[in-house]
Amino acid sequence: MTRPVDLLIIGAGPAGMAAALAAAPSGISIVVLDDNPLPGGQIWRDGPNAQLPTVATEMRAQLQRYSNIHLHSGTKVVAIAGPKRLLLEDAERGWVLGYEKLILCTGARELLLPFPGWTLPGVTGAGGLQALIKSGVPVSGERIVIAGSGPLLLASAATAKKNGAEVVRIAEQAGRRAVSGFALGLWRWPNKAFQAVTLASGAYRLSAHVIEALGSDRLEAVRMQTGSRVEEIACDRLACGFSLVPNTELGSALGCEVRDRAIVVDEWQTTGLTDHYAAGECTGFGGSELALVEGKIAGLVAVGRQEEARAHWPERQRWQRFADRLNQAFTLDPALKTLATADTLVCRCEDVPYAELADHASWNSAKLNTRCGMGACQGRICATAAHTLFGWEPPRLRPPFSPARIATLACLDEPAA
């Protein structure tokens, strides 16, 4: 059996890269896994139309300088193969990898809530729109409406405008009092205040949300609620994102405690499992700055450099205060739970409408009776929406965690490599 890697990091976003770079000077063997083609995560996603910040390109370059850091891009975790052993798969092979210590940096995904017409071609998530544009999808000349909650709306709008789109409306569901209070406190974080100024748009509206996406074969218009007024806006694309949800499924499968949709960690970024740490947005949504410092702390602690890690606590506390204010200001309006009508699809993979779910008391009951969550996404979209709509506890991920080749599953009988 090949010797297990000293430190395995799952996720190569800001937290994962920071953790690897913090641990690398110790000389231990480090493996970083990510399902994207290049490191950077969703926030620093690459592509033909992507413009990466300097910090992202510098961190990528630093990763390449360390011979003890081995990056496996386009790689996913398929199953747990035993204590401190994971079954992995990339485009070419499957294999079992053993590890001594593990840092989860699995990031977050968009919260998508169902509303009439949300399955029409032309409707995506707000972050999904950004990803499409960065990957080369042309939007020049298109009329785009962006709706939901949080700063991601402004970032998506900026990406769309840079690539020639006309952003006709940015609809923020939070009210004026909450957003104004948040904005007035940004002087404590000057770079965030600068970002807010540069991303400001005349198309921005508060106390506004989507009621319905309109169209026959594809999106043609959006019906919006803005304050007490209802209006229809013609558009070619609609991007909706109702904040982010931490990716906790792998952590939960390993046995980490999950509370309030986030992996629970202590001041050392340690989970309840010995030799298992977590950092970044899988421990709670807070932005790239918080993810970077949490990743750095986790990497240092994993190699026994606790005193150096402690020195970063004040910085983490500073960005945690920002995250707390952000999450409080953009708390979702309960009215968003009532957007779906009886025939609105909640599970898009299996075509399960709201009416078929509403009478069930739990996710398991709904899944057993309706096939909800049994499609390609394995409930990652609909189960998360159901948690918001009905208060159901999300399901625990079961192997295989994603579609895998039979040859990969056969590796469970082989020794770790």
Side-chain angles (χ1 to χ4, degrees):
M1 179 183 294
T2 303
R3 181 180 181 274
V5 65
D6 293 322
L7 177 62
L8 174 61
I9 300 172
I10 301 178
M17 289 197 289
L21 293 173
S26 68
I28 65 170
S29 60
I30 301 171
V31 167
V32 183
L33 307 178
D34 197 89
D35 56 2
N36 287 310
L38 292 168
Q42 296 301 321
I43 191 169
W44 295 335
R45 191 183 185 93
D46 212 335
N49 295 331
Q51 295 180 340
L52 296 179
T54 301
V55 62
T57 55
E58 288 180 349
M59 291 182 75
R60 277 188 184 178
Q62 291 176 45
L63 287 176
Q64 294 178 346
R65 294 191 192 109
Y66 284 100
S67 60
N68 58 323
I69 297 178
H70 305 280
L71 177 65
H72 292 272
S73 298
T75 302
K76 57 188 179 181
V77 178
V78 175
I80 297 170
K84 294 189 176 182
R85 299 170 77 235
L86 296 176
L87 176 62
L88 311 176
E89 182 183 80
D90 62 16
E92 299 178 353
R93 64 176 181 134
W95 73 103
V96 173
L97 179 66
Y99 60 88
E100 296 294 341
K101 295 184 178 181
L102 175 120
I103 304 177
L104 291 164
C105 302
T106 47
R109 62 184 182 276
E110 284 190 274
L111 171 61
L112 304 176
L113 296 178
F115 54 87
W118 78 301
T119 58
L120 280 171
V123 181
T124 66
L129 175 65
Q130 266 197 316
L132 287 171
I133 294 173
K134 289 178 180 180
S135 66
V137 171
V139 295
S140 180
E142 293 187 345
R143 300 163 299 174
I144 296 180
V145 171
I146 299 175
S149 193
L152 179 59
L153 305 186
L154 292 171
S156 296
T159 300
K161 285 190 287 187
K162 284 180 182 178
N163 287 273
E166 178 189 1
V167 178
V168 295
R169 180 61 53 87
I170 306 170
E172 167 58 60
Q173 60 87 39
R176 183 172 301 280
R177 182 176 181 181
V179 176
S180 296
F182 173 72
L184 289 173
L186 285 180
W187 61 270
R188 298 180 180 88
W189 303 275
N191 65 321
K192 293 298 184 182
F194 178 75
Q195 286 179 11
V197 171
T198 57
L199 294 176
S201 170
Y204 193 65
R205 299 289 186 277
L206 297 171
S207 299
H209 64 262
V210 169
I211 299 175
E212 184 176 4
L214 307 172
S216 50
D217 296 329
R218 66 164 291 113
L219 179 71
E220 298 172 8
V222 178
R223 184 171 290 132
M224 304 284 301
Q225 178 88 44
T226 306
S228 59
R229 182 166 52 94
V230 175
E231 59 183 324
E232 288 188 10
I233 304 171
C235 60
D236 304 298
R237 289 185 186 271
L238 167 64
C240 284
F242 299 93
S243 190
L244 299 176
V245 178
N247 291 322
T248 62
E249 290 80 6
L250 180 57
S252 179
L254 286 165
C256 301
E257 181 185 357
V258 175
R259 189 189 311 146
D260 297 328
R261 294 189 179 186
I263 297 174
V264 177
V265 294
D266 63 13
E267 65 268 27
W268 303 106
Q269 302 297 140
T270 304
T271 72
L273 295 178
T274 302
D275 296 330
H276 288 70
Y277 311 85
E281 296 190 333
C282 62
T283 66
F285 172 54
S288 61
E289 292 86 357
L290 180 59
L292 285 167
V293 67
E294 286 183 349
K296 188 178 297 183
I297 290 171
L300 290 170
V301 172
V303 295
R305 293 159 61 186
Q306 277 80 0
E307 289 309 309
E308 290 183 57
R310 190 192 297 273
H312 295 285
W313 285 8
E315 183 185 2
R316 180 180 58 189
Q317 186 178 36
R318 176 172 177 259
W319 287 112
Q320 186 60 60
R321 286 196 298 268
F322 171 80
D324 293 342
R325 289 181 61 91
L326 177 72
N327 294 324
Q328 181 180 10
F330 295 98
T331 299
L332 292 183
D333 187 330
L336 298 173
K337 299 180 183 180
T338 65
L339 296 180
T341 59
D343 60 350
T344 301
L345 295 182
V346 176
C347 177
R348 299 180 297 184
C349 298
E350 295 293 327
D351 293 337
V352 182
Y354 182 91
E356 291 188 23
L357 301 176
D359 292 335
H360 293 282
S362 68
W363 172 258
N364 284 340
S365 174
K367 184 175 181 180
L368 287 171
N369 289 279
T370 70
R371 290 188 57 82
C372 186
M374 297 181 73
C377 87
Q378 289 291 286
R380 285 173 175 82
I381 302 299
C382 56
T384 304
H387 178 84
T388 301
L389 296 176
F390 307 116
W392 295 344
E393 283 302 309
R396 185 160 181 165
L397 197 63
R398 295 186 299 175
F401 303 146
S402 59
R405 297 184 293 269
I406 293 176
T408 296
L409 299 178
C411 294
L412 287 171
D413 293 328
E414 299 176 2

